Amino acid sequence: MRSKTKQTYNVCFCFRRRFRVAAWEVPADIRRVFKRYSDESGVMSGALLQRFLVEEQKEVNATLDDALSIIDRLRLPLFHPRALNLLSFFNFLFSHLLNPPSLSVLQDMSSPLSHYFIYTGHNSYLTGNQLSSDCSDIPIINALKNGVRVIELDIWPNSSNDDVHVLHGRTLTSPVALIKCLRSIKEYAFFASNYPVVITLEDHLTPDLQAKVAEMITGTFGDILFAPSSESLKEFPSPESLKGRIIISTKPPKEYLEAKEVQEKKEESLTEKPAVDEEAWGKEVPSLRGGTISDYKNIEDEDDLHNEEEIGISRDEYKHLIAIHARKPKGGLEECLKVDPDNVRRLSLSELQLEKAAETYGKEIVRFTQRNILRVYPKGTRITSTNYNPLIGWMHGAQMVAFNMQGYGRSLWLMQGMFKANGGCGYVKKPDFLLKDGPNNEAFDPNAHLRPKITLKVTIYMGEGWFHDFKHTHFDKFSPPDFYARVGIAGVPYDTVMKKTECVEDNWSPSWNQDFEFPLAVPELALLRIEVHEYDMSEKDDFGGQTCLPVWELRSGIRAVPLYSRKGDKYENVKLLMRFEFI
């Protein structure tokens, strides 16, 4: 606990302001909780701590031995034997003893791959923007270390047509050798999770080079490569059965795009203005409630970068490596969404295509994703590697919502929040209503006006840790920071909302002590969004930390919630003390 000190700020050359940096003050509600579970002498014994864990924290399996072990690790020698006083109890609320990181896979992993949301990257090899940044294996390594399970590689011939490069085609991006990317994938594939890694290939190769790619892949991955026994699958295997395996997903071999299509695509990319989505900490996530979807006219499709004519007889070695076939039947979207009972496949749609399709075919998309895999990718005008609202994909059952992982911003924070679930293994089981039709044989309609199932009550007591993790002039040169918090829900349209606390002035340990209630119609898809900002009257508010938490994994009771930087790195000390209740 921090002792009281004083801090001095220079206002001008001859004038200084001094501020007292106060010690932690125990919020009144925490005092009431402690009083409820302490004895007449004002201490909390092991039996009373056990009661607190069971009744307040809903940890029904907590034993007396668990409570005594906690006390032994927290109590000070001068205190009552094997008991906590108010301050040691308050320390306990912030400690990892009450808030251990969840590393356990909690969900059933024996269902087909199509039953899971999968942590998916887009153009995984790019170090920055989509037009001129370097291509490298470093972003791939970072993505795998962070738990990403789907890596996308665009493969092209090198200048002499005798080797294969990875690069964003028809741009100024510098290439990286395919074999280097494959070797890095093998080395880091299972760094963060033992569950399978899918490599999606955007293939722009001749048959000879496809055969060379087949040699590279089999030579690099050997026995860990999953090669299906037949060209088509009636059902995808499960993540559990594919632990430690590498999976290849692409279209059957295609020819190059015709010159006319190349020129049109290039002109479209260069004439569109970049989407300026990332400002101080990222533009607010676009709402899914209505909008201007019908205004979108130019819809690009990465899968259509190939001519639809097959290349005579393709190289068998290459075709046999493809475990998840990416196919788009000829015809309109209605034809693409037809479900084949004897064959499963992957379909790719741009974010704009999905938004437009959802207006008319929302239920059909949900039904398609019950057996097949839908991949959604960013529109081509996201030149600065920004992202979109991932909920548009998830609430329609899309398994592979592909994101640019190079930058930061609120959309990416939602993606990181979703995949904190299930032990961070990169696979999150889809809710049952997305896996089967309802009682009247009706698929889930995410845009329907649904009644709330449950209400999440969130109390935000206070924040702590900025004093230790930031320089004292980081937020304001002339005074301590003025913090406020934003708390809300990202989910289906009728659950989505953001609220805000009052601003606490000149305090490194702000106490808000405010309650917020969120009625939830679809808690199974809801993410709790938390952000802290420092109010600045003359400039943009400063960023003070963020996190997104899957509502379905929130643990009831009083919890210390760690905050993360804009890039998703966990701060060493910054935490919020909060309470979660389901009513």
Side-chain angles (χ1 to χ4, degrees):
M1 182 166 299
R2 192 176 68 238
S3 61
K4 292 185 178 181
T5 60
K6 290 186 179 180
Q7 218 171 53
T8 301
Y9 289 82
N10 292 323
V11 177
C12 62
F13 292 110
C14 58
F15 180 64
R16 293 183 178 184
R17 298 176 68 192
R18 302 188 76 187
F19 294 86
R20 182 175 296 279
V21 182
W24 278 349
E25 294 183 3
V26 181
D29 193 37
I30 303 299
R31 291 177 181 271
R32 285 191 289 270
V33 169
F34 179 78
K35 186 175 181 180
R36 190 181 310 140
Y37 293 96
S38 59
D39 59 24
E40 293 180 356
S41 61
V43 295
M44 184 182 289
S45 66
L48 291 171
L49 177 57
Q50 181 194 9
R51 269 190 57 205
F52 164 78
L53 294 173
V54 172
E55 296 175 7
E56 293 287 331
Q57 306 298 98
K58 310 302 180 186
E59 298 181 9
V60 295
N61 296 320
T63 66
L64 178 59
D65 285 342
D66 294 332
L68 291 173
S69 175
I70 290 170
I71 289 174
D72 289 339
R73 297 177 67 176
L74 287 172
R75 68 188 177 95
L76 297 177
L78 296 178
F79 293 158
H80 189 283
R82 305 202 89 178
L84 302 178
N85 73 350
L86 175 61
L87 292 182
S88 54
F89 173 71
F90 191 42
N91 280 326
F92 165 58
L93 296 180
F94 274 95
S95 78
H96 70 277
L97 298 175
L98 183 63
N99 307 281
S102 177
L103 301 176
S104 301
V105 175
L106 304 173
Q107 298 174 333
D108 171 37
M109 302 299 286
S110 61
S111 297
L113 286 175
S114 56
H115 287 202
Y116 299 84
F117 299 126
I118 310 174
Y119 203 177
T120 302
H122 174 256
N123 289 350
S124 305
Y125 49 86
L126 287 179
T127 57
N129 70 66
Q130 303 285 306
L131 290 182
S132 60
S133 65
D134 292 335
C135 301
S136 170
D137 64 329
I138 300 300
I140 296 170
I141 293 171
N142 291 337
L144 292 169
K145 283 184 174 181
N146 289 326
V148 173
R149 297 290 85 192
V150 182
I151 299 296
E152 182 187 27
L153 303 177
D154 287 62
I155 49 178
W156 295 80
N158 67 351
S159 57
S160 56
N161 290 314
D162 60 358
D163 202 356
V164 181
H165 279 168
V166 173
L167 74 155
H168 197 198
R170 310 182 186 99
T171 67
L172 301 177
T173 56
S174 59
V176 59
L178 172 62
I179 189 63
K180 185 175 184 180
C181 296
L182 296 178
R183 288 169 178 166
S184 293
I185 291 173
K186 181 182 181 182
E187 184 174 356
Y188 292 94
F190 308 109
F191 180 92
S193 170
N194 288 326
Y195 288 96
V197 168
V198 181
I199 303 175
T200 60
L201 298 175
E202 291 294 337
D203 174 9
H204 307 269
L205 303 177
T206 60
D208 287 344
L209 287 179
Q210 287 167 354
K212 186 164 187 172
V213 168
E215 292 178 7
M216 289 185 192
I217 290 174
T218 54
T220 301
F221 299 117
D223 292 341
I224 67 171
L225 182 69
F226 172 71
S229 55
S230 62
E231 185 175 330
S232 61
L233 296 172
K234 190 170 183 177
E235 184 179 72
F236 289 116
S238 70
E240 189 66 32
S241 69
L242 293 171
K243 268 187 171 180
R245 307 297 293 274
I246 302 291
I247 304 169
I248 303 299
S249 178
T250 186
K251 276 190 172 184
K254 303 290 181 181
E255 291 182 354
Y256 289 119
L257 194 66
E258 294 179 358
K260 181 174 180 292
E261 292 175 315
V262 172
Q263 185 61 29
E264 288 175 353
K265 187 73 180 179
K266 185 175 181 181
E267 290 173 355
E268 180 183 357
S269 296
L270 295 178
T271 55
E272 290 277 4
K273 292 182 179 180
V276 185
D277 278 4
E278 312 301 325
E279 296 178 356
W281 46 78
K283 186 178 177 181
E284 182 55 77
V285 179
S287 173
L288 299 176
R289 301 185 187 188
T292 58
I293 294 171
S294 59
D295 295 336
Y296 297 143
K297 296 178 182 179
N298 298 320
I299 298 178
E300 72 283 348
D301 186 346
E302 287 183 333
D303 277 351
D304 288 341
L305 292 178
H306 304 286
N307 195 329
E308 289 298 327
E309 297 296 324
E310 290 281 359
I311 307 172
I313 300 175
S314 61
R315 297 297 173 105
D316 287 341
E317 299 92 339
Y318 187 72
K319 286 187 70 173
H320 290 162
L321 298 180
I322 305 172
I324 301 176
H325 284 257
R327 295 195 184 100
K328 178 174 288 187
K330 292 183 178 180
L333 185 61
E334 191 172 1
E335 190 69 26
C336 290
L337 293 174
K338 284 185 178 179
V339 176
D340 184 346
D342 298 317
N343 186 30
V344 290
R345 58 190 168 90
R346 192 197 90 199
L347 174 68
S348 288
L349 297 175
S350 73
E351 59 174 290
L352 298 187
Q353 281 182 309
L354 178 61
E355 288 175 346
K356 192 166 182 64
E359 292 180 328
T360 307
Y361 298 106
K363 293 181 181 180
E364 287 78 7
I365 296 170
V366 171
R367 190 170 284 118
F368 176 84
T369 59
Q370 290 172 358
R371 296 192 69 245
N372 300 283
I373 289 176
L374 176 60
R375 174 179 169 268
V376 185
Y377 58 90
K379 59 187 178 182
T381 53
R382 293 190 178 276
I383 295 170
T384 55
S385 297
T386 60
N387 288 301
Y388 50 100
N389 188 343
L391 268 302
I392 184 66
W394 291 332
M395 70 187 190
H396 286 93
Q399 297 86 349
M400 296 182 180
V401 178
F403 258 39
N404 295 310
M405 303 291 178
Q406 307 96 314
Y408 56 84
R410 286 185 170 117
S411 294
L412 187 53
W413 300 343
L414 294 183
M415 178 68 64
Q416 293 164 345
M418 165 63 84
F419 290 101
K420 285 187 177 82
N422 205 25
C425 75
Y427 287 80
V428 175
K429 188 79 177 288
K430 296 198 292 185
D432 285 345
F433 58 77
L434 289 174
L435 299 177
K436 55 188 177 182
D437 290 347
N440 299 320
N441 203 32
E442 283 285 312
F444 173 69
D445 182 358
N447 294 310
H449 188 76
L450 304 169
R451 292 183 178 181
K453 292 180 184 177
I454 198 169
T455 296
L456 171 64
K457 182 179 178 182
V458 175
T459 303
I460 179 166
Y461 292 118
M462 62 174 295
E464 174 60 21
W466 293 280
F467 182 80
H468 301 288
D469 288 350
F470 293 86
K471 293 181 179 179
H472 82 282
T473 56
H474 176 86
F475 296 103
D476 197 319
K477 292 182 179 180
F478 309 117
S479 66
D482 307 324
F483 286 126
Y484 67 91
R486 300 176 76 239
V487 186
I489 297 292
V492 298
Y494 287 97
D495 287 346
T496 300
V497 65
M498 284 300 288
K499 300 179 181 182
K500 181 179 171 182
T501 68
E502 296 176 352
C503 184
V504 176
E505 296 183 354
D506 299 334
N507 201 317
W508 282 98
S509 300
S511 291
W512 296 288
N513 295 307
Q514 288 185 240
D515 298 331
F516 301 95
E517 291 190 1
F518 303 104
L520 300 175
V522 188
E524 300 90 340
L525 290 177
L527 296 168
L528 179 65
R529 293 179 54 192
I530 304 167
E531 300 176 9
V532 175
H533 305 294
E534 197 273 336
Y535 176 73
D536 196 318
M537 186 181 301
S538 60
E539 300 177 359
K540 291 180 181 178
D541 292 352
D542 293 318
F543 176 83
Q546 59 81 23
T547 192
C548 288
L549 303 171
V551 166
W552 62 93
E553 285 197 0
L554 286 179
R555 293 186 295 159
S556 297
I558 302 168
R559 306 289 175 183
V561 177
L563 295 189
Y564 295 76
S565 72
R566 285 177 287 185
K567 294 183 179 180
D569 298 322
K570 186 177 177 180
Y571 290 130
E572 187 173 348
N573 296 288
V574 178
K575 296 178 181 178
L576 301 181
L577 189 64
M578 307 181 72
R579 180 196 284 270
F580 305 122
E581 300 173 79
F582 291 95
I583 56 179

